[in-house]
Amino acid sequence: MALPIKYNIRNVIVRWRATLATILGVALVVAVYMLVQSLAVGLEQSSGNTGDPRNVMIVRKGSTAESSSQITREQFRLLPYLPQIARDSQGRPYVSADVIVLINLLRRDLKAEAHVLVRGISPVGMKLRPQVRLVGGRWFDPGKREVVVSRRLAARIGHFEIGDTFKTGGKALTVVGWLEGGQSAFDSEVWMDADEARSLFYRENYSSVLVRARDDAAAAGLIDRIESDKRLPLQALPEVKYYSAQTMTAMPIKILGDFLATAMSIGAVFAAMNTMYASVGSRTREIGTLRVLGYRRRTILLSFLIEGAFLALVGGVLGCLLSLPMHGYSTGTISFESFSETVFQFRITPWLAAKGLTFSVIVGVAGSLLPAVRASRLPVIVALKAV
Amino acid sequence: MAPSNIVSIRELSKVYQQGEINVTALNRISLDIQTGEFLALMGPSGSGKSTLLHILAGIDRPTGGTCHVQGIDLAQLNESDLADWRNQNVGFVFQTFNLIPVLTAFENVELPLLLTQMSGRHRRQQVSTALALVGLDDRQHHLPRQLSGGQEQRVAIARALVTDPSLVVADEPTGNLDSHSAQEVLTILQSLSRTAGKTVIMVTHDPKAAAYGSRSVHLEKGELADS
Amino acid sequence: MTTLTFITKNALRNKRRALLCILSVAVSLFLLVTLLVALREVTVPPEDIGAALRVVVRNKISFTNPLPARQRAVIERIPGVAAVSPFSWFGGKYKNEEMMTFGQFAMDPKLIRPIFGEAKMPEEQYQAFEADQTACIIGKLTAEKYQLKIGDRLPLTSIIYPCSIELKIAGIYEGTIDDRNALFHHKYLDEAGGSDGWVGMWWVKVRSIEEMPRVTDSINRAFANSSAEVRAETERAFQLSFVSMWGNIKILVHSICSVVVFTLMLVTASTMSMAIRERFRELAVLKALGFRRRELFAFILAESFGLAAVGAVLGIGAAWVFYTQISIAKLTQGIFITFEVTPKIIGQAALVAASLGIVASIAPSIAVARTSVVDGLRTLD
């Protein structure tokens, strides 16, 4: 009983000049929504992508980030002998104590500053993080004031080219290599020798301890053991879970994205409404004719709703296409968890595109509802007499 | 054998409100129309001829009296049923053609059939037949704006015929046509009545058009005048 | 009938369309003002008169690194320094809350009035605070948010110090730019946090404006080449350095504002154009009656300007009323403190509305200019 879809589609196409602005408006709303949300997705993906499932992260109880956690030497001493920890061929336990320091450095444009996360790491620690690879230069030598920085971070911070030197704490550090973190949180880090870091930054304590458990059951056992030990004010959880829980920074961005989209779409709904009212207004006689031929009111209603939805959908597709070039674009911001510069990419996923398109259809339907109702309620005779 | 009355109108009235005033468009009209007639409804503007046409075509309702078409009291049908009834039993031809601009001639003629259960193939046959009847099957895929006024009206007639209705109703069908096209259209309407046995009811103010009909009826101020 | 009433009647001929236009403009301008105000709030910390004479001294590596307590004596001896207090950010979460909603700072309680003079609090509360090492004072906003009174306890769990503490509220202050923070005894932190001998930062009050640059410089040089080099800067510079951490977010918000403006222009301009095109015939009639093109342009411009103006008053006005009346601190749970709709922002939004009015009239004006009277009269729209 419905009117053929080609009727609706052709009507939209034929009035393209009048509807172009509305389509563009919807496109922009969807594009903004997708861009802002893809920031949040990128942030979440980067932290969600971090860690090895076999590792267990140990930090101080109550710390939300490694950078604010402290583990004393006494507390650390108790850990390597736990039976659940895996050992290498020589019987040495896979345990690594890292030191995290935040330092102030100038950005690449040398105008503003950023907080950069430096990780003092041991050779074992590097083994426990197979995600991270060297992509330029070489690893640092222990005992030397050398660092390896993330390649993506080097694009944003000044003096991070291989061979450059920068100063912090009155001492000079030399960049000897670039690392790639495999699109994880490690892409925002600077690595150096743990002992060098402790002496350079006068750190008595460690920040975090990373261990590899023998297997999943051992990991669970280890976590239990540590959490239930009253002497140790420590918490333990799988490394992967630790990083994926760091969504604090993504949240406000998501909220911003939703707010913007909703607010902008109110304007878009008004525009769609106007477009559809104009459409109904110029097709009054046509509507009357369809009624005479026997088409029902609700068919007319549905028809205009479909047109509005189709119109907005075109805008939505356009919006998705507009935002697509930003996919993979690298950017950075300060993380609310670690207070350090976090590098990540815009990530536009099919799911996000689906949300954007759904959103546009909702705008289209919302905007055409009143005009469609009006069209369906037109008395036949009045409609036929229209000019 | 006496031809039966396809339309039977008794004491038909139509009063409507225009602002604060009650306007009587039709005042207790009684009229019989026989099957196969080509009836011309004539009268000056405001005489109620269009109103009468609308009522017996099922797109308006009377406020008093009865109107039976093919034995059915139209006032008893609800809106849904009335729509279905129109689709099957009435073909309407308008002064302004009223073709859907975005549909081709073929698609325009097909429109009434989409409301039926006909198969696609069957529909296409019907449409082709209707277009052939009005001599336009070579222009099936043209859009209305690619057709002349006369051609548009002929497509409209094909649309009016495609469900094979017994009643064809035309409201000033030649009002927007040049004299040559007007002649063509009137000839077609005439043959519908004479050859196909359809009842054609035409509203017109032009006596030359009315002459194509088999009978004329005059209305004045909502009442039948003796002609 | 004057020209003005003619234009007004025209605009209101299709009330629904006029209303939709106006609403569209109003909503978009409201959004624009909101964005501009939020952006300003984030990038320009509120002017703080009291901060003019204050200097913040932090570890040069980053403020997350502590400073040795012995530096205090050195700073006190620098000429021009009126007072020096330790200033350590506790980073505590209140009770069981997930996020930190207000800052807590450990300092020397005797130096509150010399350094933090703009805070207003009854004398006896200052005394009570100084007397009790476990005491604290909190800002009025926080007190209201959690309905705290004098004598209540304030349990805090730090995310950077390995401890949880419980402070007793001895006073509630107001009158500063940010009436949220809690201040407590540094000695208490030394004992509870196990950080005796270290402070987070130094808060320095300088005697006069003229001495500021010299004092800042002296402090920096005093610790050059030591194991804890410092960066001393004015409090305002310190606040602004935080802002620069946001990095690209500023650019992002700026871009979004531009896009919003553009979308607004596009959508509303087309809506208004449609409205005017609808009345082509009338305009053609006016032309036939002898009105010159100039005058028709003026009509069109006046109408689109009028619609934009009404929308602007509605949208900007609503934003202004909303943000002045509503306590934004309460609404956003302290994420934003003030949402000031400055004259500059109002001006920017008004400018956008004005351009909108002009842009919207362009297309119809061109069409009117091009169409001959005959065509216009023939228009069956």
Side-chain angles (χ1 to χ4, degrees), chain B residues 170-216:
Chain B
D171 195 344
E172 307 266 13
T174 56
N176 283 14
L177 299 176
D178 61 274
S179 55
H180 176 72
S181 309
Q183 251 182 359
E184 279 183 335
V185 163
L186 289 166
T187 311
I188 295 175
L189 290 176
Q190 201 181 49
S191 76
L192 286 180
S193 153
R194 287 191 189 158
T195 322
K198 298 201 183 294
T199 312
V200 181
I201 306 172
M202 177 176 75
V203 158
T204 182
H205 62 272
D206 180 7
K208 285 204 284 256
Y212 281 79
S214 58
R215 174 160 76 111
S216 288

Side-chain angles (χ1 to χ4, degrees), chain A residues 21 60 68 102 104 113 274 331, chain C residues 58 61-62 162 231 248 271:
Chain A
R60 187 170 56 82
S68 56
L102 290 178
N104 256 16
E113 283 192 333
N274 245 321
T331 185
Chain C
R58 56 175 170 96
I61 297 175
S62 88
R231 157 118 39 126
N248 287 6
T271 304

Side-chain angles (χ1 to χ4, degrees), chain C residues 34 37-41 323-324 328 332 336-341:
Chain C
T34 305
V37 170
L39 180 66
R40 182 179 169 280
E41 165 90 1
Y323 294 126
T324 350
I328 202 72
T332 58
F336 290 107
I337 319 252
T338 50
F339 241 37
E340 204 188 319
V341 185

Side-chain angles (χ1 to χ4, degrees), chain A residues 163-227:
Chain A
D164 277 349
T165 312
F166 61 91
K167 280 188 89 167
T168 181
K171 321 283 194 316
L173 293 171
T174 311
V175 178
V176 298
W178 277 353
L179 61 84
E180 267 271 18
Q183 282 168 13
S184 70
F186 300 125
D187 279 312
S188 307
E189 293 186 0
V190 169
W191 283 9
M192 64 183 293
D193 177 54
D195 291 326
E196 270 309 299
R198 286 174 60 212
S199 92
L200 179 58
F201 299 111
Y202 301 98
R203 290 295 172 92
E204 289 251 335
N205 298 332
Y206 302 107
S207 301
S208 66
V209 175
L210 192 68
V211 309
R212 171 126 348 142
R214 280 209 310 273
D215 53 45
D216 285 345
L222 179 65
I223 292 173
D224 252 351
R225 169 86 175 69
I226 293 182
E227 296 266 330

Side-chain angles (χ1 to χ4, degrees), chain B residues 34-112:
Chain B
Q34 289 174 345
T35 315
E37 272 201 77
F38 184 170
L39 180 69
L41 284 178
M42 302 190 62
S45 116
S47 56
K49 53 192 197 296
S50 287
T51 311
L52 179 58
L53 197 74
H54 290 161
I55 291 178
L56 54 84
I59 57 179
D60 197 0
R61 288 186 188 278
T63 47
T66 60
C67 174
H68 285 81
V69 181
Q70 290 176 308
I72 302 174
D73 183 359
L74 293 186
Q76 299 302 321
L77 295 178
N78 65 33
E79 202 170 320
S80 251
D81 294 336
L82 202 52
D84 283 338
W85 179 83
R86 274 200 309 270
N87 179 260
Q88 291 300 307
N89 295 290
V90 184
F92 211 113
V93 180
F94 302 89
Q95 177 177 355
T96 44
F97 325 139
N98 288 6
L99 294 180
I100 311 285
V102 301
L103 298 176
T104 63
F106 187 96
E107 289 163 345
N108 264 292
V109 175
E110 199 188 9
L111 260 186

Side-chain angles (χ1 to χ4, degrees), chain C residues 96-113:
Chain C
N96 298 324
E97 289 201 335
E98 283 284 321
M99 301 190 44
M100 287 176 284
T101 53
F102 61 98
Q104 311 96 25
F105 297 93
M107 59 173 301
D108 186 338
K110 289 199 275 291
L111 294 176
I112 283 212
R113 272 174 287 192

Side-chain angles (χ1 to χ4, degrees), chain C residues 147-199:
Chain C
Q147 274 141 20
L148 297 166
K149 319 178 293 299
I150 311 268
D152 281 348
R153 302 222 153 252
L154 196 72
L156 299 166
T157 307
S158 170
I159 62 167
I160 52 174
Y161 290 95
C163 64
S164 296
I165 58 178
E166 203 173 78
L167 301 168
K168 203 169 92 174
I169 299 176
I172 299 178
Y173 69 87
E174 59 178 322
T176 68
I177 280 291
D178 185 355
D179 284 340
R180 283 180 301 182
N181 301 324
L183 299 172
F184 62 104
H185 289 238
H186 207 278
K187 278 208 175 50
Y188 186 50
L189 177 65
D190 289 339
E191 283 161 27
S195 61
D196 202 1
W198 295 95
V199 304

